[in-house]
Amino acid sequence: PGGVGAAYANPDGTTIVMTGDGSAMMNLQELATIKYRELPVKIFIFNNGGYASIRKSQRVASLFMSV
């Protein structure tokens, strides 16, 4: 969503978005907006093994379960 907003704020330039694979999965609908509005956005997706906030919460939960 931030990339779409940045593209609207700077319509004369190209917006570069760098995101993880989990975040991209959670925001796939933004690709339709970028295509439909023909926004100048380049997206780089890093495979960092999932959505970081979920991974972190699972790690914390596992600490309490092992006690």
Side-chain angles (χ1 to χ4, degrees), residues 1 8 28 35 39 43-44 54:
Y8 276 117
L28 276 178
K35 175 68 175 165
L39 298 173
I43 303 172
F44 295 89
I54 292 173

Side-chain angles (χ1 to χ4, degrees), residues 6-31:
Y8 276 117
N10 184 22
D12 296 327
T14 299
T15 300
I16 297 174
V17 174
M18 298 189 319
T19 187
D21 57 334
S23 177
M25 178 186 67
M26 300 292 273
N27 294 291
L28 276 178
Q29 68 278 7
E30 299 305 326
L31 293 178

